[in-house]
Amino acid sequence: PALADDEGRKIEFTVQNLDGLEGLSGTFVIQMRPTWAPIGAQRFEELTEAGFWNDCRIFRVIPGFISQFGINGDPKMQAKYKVSMRDDPVRESNSRGTVVFATAGPNTRTTQIFINTNGKPGGNSFLDKQGFSPFGEVISGMDVVDRFYSGYGEGAPSGKGPDQGKLQSQGAAYVNPNFPKLSYYSDVKFII
C-alpha cells in the first residue's frame, strides 16, 4: 500500500457501454503514484491533460488478467503521442487495480495502458520481472472496471477483438462500426 507522501493527482474516468450495453455507465478513479514510476506517471498526466483518453475504447479485456486501452480514435492524435519513453524500474507489484503502461520490450512504452484485474493472491506479479512498472492504482470503482465489455476477447489475429494496427491507423472509423459493444471513456478529468 502507498504512503501518503507518494500520492499524486487523482483522475476520474467516466465509462460508457458497461457490459456492452449502450447507456450503461459508471466511473472509477485512478490515484497517481509518481514515486512508483515517475516517468510513466508524468506521461499519463500529460495524456490526460491533452484529452487523449476521451472516446478511447477499452479494446482488449481478458477477465481475471487485464483491461487494455490507450489507442486514440483519431489517428492524427495517436501518431502525435506515439513516442517511446524510457522505462521506470519496477518498484510496485502488478497487483489487482494497478495501472501500467504496456510495453513491447525495453523502452517501448507509448500510450497503451492496462489495468490489472487479477484478484488471486500475487495478482499479475509475474509481469514484474518483465519490466511492467505500475504508476498508479484504481482507488474506487474497480467494480466498474470489472464490467468493461469482454465479449470480443483477445485481439486479432489470435482472437475476435480489434486489430491494434487497424485501430491505430484507422481509429474510430474502424473500431466503432465493427466493435460497437466496446466500453469507452466519455469523460476523463483531474479531480485533485
Side-chain angles (χ1 to χ4, degrees), residues 97-179:
T98 55
V99 185
V100 184
F101 273 92
T103 180
N107 301 310
T108 60
R109 302 180 302 166
T110 59
T111 62
Q112 293 193 44
I113 306 293
F114 63 86
I115 300 171
N116 285 297
T117 59
N118 185 341
K120 295 178 182 173
N124 289 337
S125 61
F126 67 92
L127 296 173
D128 302 348
K129 292 177 185 169
Q130 296 177 38
F132 291 95
S133 181
F135 61 83
E137 64 184 323
V138 175
I139 58 166
S140 68
M142 198 61 195
D143 58 320
V144 172
V145 173
D146 288 335
R147 294 178 65 193
F148 291 170
Y149 185 70
S150 63
Y152 298 122
E154 186 62 79
S158 57
K160 296 179 181 178
D163 177 296
Q164 291 185 34
K166 288 182 180 178
L167 180 52
Q168 289 187 44
S169 65
Q170 300 173 32
Y174 161 70
V175 76
N176 294 1
N178 294 303
F179 303 94

Side-chain angles (χ1 to χ4, degrees), residues 1-10 30-42 45 88 91-92 98-99 133-139:
L3 302 173
D5 65 351
D6 78 344
E7 290 186 1
R9 299 172 80 181
K10 293 179 183 175
I30 293 175
Q31 172 74 63
M32 301 303 296
R33 303 287 186 202
T35 60
W36 292 359
I39 298 167
Q42 181 180 353
E45 288 188 9
D88 284 298
R91 293 185 178 113
E92 186 69 24
T98 55
V99 185
S133 181
F135 61 83
E137 64 184 323
V138 175
I139 58 166

Side-chain angles (χ1 to χ4, degrees), residues 55-77:
D55 290 326
C56 273
R57 273 28 188 188
I58 299 100
F59 61 84
R60 181 176 178 232
V61 179
I62 311 298
F65 179 44
I66 57 109
S67 292
Q68 188 170 345
F69 62 95
I71 300 177
N72 192 278
D74 176 353
K76 289 179 184 175
M77 181 174 250

Side-chain angles (χ1 to χ4, degrees), residues 9-16 18 25-32 44-45 47-48 52-56 58 69-70 99 113 115 135 137-138 140-141 144-145 148 184-191:
R9 299 172 80 181
K10 293 179 183 175
I11 303 168
E12 182 181 72
F13 287 71
T14 301
V15 186
Q16 302 297 324
L18 291 178
S25 65
T27 61
F28 69 94
V29 175
I30 293 175
Q31 172 74 63
M32 301 303 296
F44 193 83
E45 288 188 9
L47 292 167
T48 301
F52 186 87
W53 312 121
N54 291 326
D55 290 326
C56 273
I58 299 100
F69 62 95
V99 185
I113 306 293
I115 300 171
F135 61 83
E137 64 184 323
V138 175
S140 68
V144 172
V145 173
F148 291 170
Y184 66 93
Y185 303 128
S186 59
D187 187 43
V188 180
K189 61 187 175 191
F190 291 101
I191 55 175

